[in-house]
Amino acid sequence: MIVAVADTGPLIHLEEADALDLLSTVDELFIPQTVYDELEVGDDPPTLSSIAHEIVRARQSLTQADHSLDPGETAALNVAIERDAVLLTDDLEARNVAEDENVEVHGSIGVIALGCARGRSSKQEAADLMRALQRETSLFVTDAVVERGISLLQTEDH
């Protein structure tokens, strides 16, 4: 069972790639209230009604003074720690802090790979989506990261 908590990055980037529904491949998805509030002030917030999720409030185990993350990333990391969940983030600093806290972390590329592993797309569709994520969304991701994600698809057994 995969329990995950998302910060704003994957929600925005997967929506931009028309792939937000891939978040439904996690078994339980939490979105901190702080992240939800950040999405609401954006120009074109993701349509979250298409995916099962629960809006939650984070307790303060880590504070912004502990690191250089924004409030949404801090809240998402706190919920991930509290619920022993995977953190979904596309932010490098959030990834580094999560790893320091022994929290498993994946980004939008990882969500696409999970969707493929769980039969939501073919390997080719997932590879194309990873490339589109790089070319057609606001996510900055290097060629090396995209190619690593694609190579992981080739090693999966499905």
Side-chain angles (χ1 to χ4, degrees):
M1 179 161 165
I2 298 175
V3 177
V5 57
D7 81 0
T8 55
L11 297 170
I12 291 169
H13 301 132
L14 290 168
E15 171 82 357
E16 290 172 336
D18 198 27
L20 189 64
D21 64 315
L22 287 177
L23 283 171
S24 64
T25 59
V26 301
D27 300 299
E28 199 168 356
L29 178 65
F30 295 108
I31 300 173
Q33 183 67 52
T34 306
V35 168
Y36 187 80
D37 293 344
E38 286 179 357
L39 292 170
E40 288 297 300
V41 298
D43 291 336
D44 191 19
T47 307
L48 299 176
S49 61
S50 65
I51 55 170
H53 65 282
E54 182 180 342
I55 305 293
V56 295
R57 294 212 179 270
R59 288 186 229 120
Q60 289 295 112
S61 49
L62 289 176
T63 65
Q64 283 184 266
D66 296 328
H67 48 72
S68 60
L69 304 182
D70 73 23
E73 292 159 349
T74 300
L77 183 54
N78 280 328
V79 172
I81 291 168
E82 292 163 14
R83 299 185 184 247
D84 195 26
V86 174
L87 175 65
L88 302 178
T89 184
D90 289 324
D91 183 86
L92 182 59
E93 183 64 24
R95 179 179 293 269
N96 291 336
V97 174
E99 289 172 352
D100 289 346
E101 295 293 326
N102 296 312
V103 172
E104 185 178 344
V105 60
H106 296 285
S108 294
I109 297 280
V111 172
I112 294 168
L114 177 64
C116 180
R118 290 196 163 185
R120 296 287 303 273
S121 67
S122 70
K123 290 178 184 179
Q124 186 59 55
E125 290 167 333
D128 290 346
L129 189 52
M130 287 179 188
R131 288 186 182 104
L133 198 63
Q134 181 185 35
R135 288 188 319 268
E136 301 168 12
T137 73
S138 61
L139 175 63
F140 172 77
V141 61
T142 64
D143 291 340
V145 170
V146 171
E147 293 308 316
R148 182 170 167 254
I150 292 169
S151 70
L152 291 173
L153 295 172
Q154 304 314 316
T155 62
E156 293 177 0
D157 217 6
H158 71 280

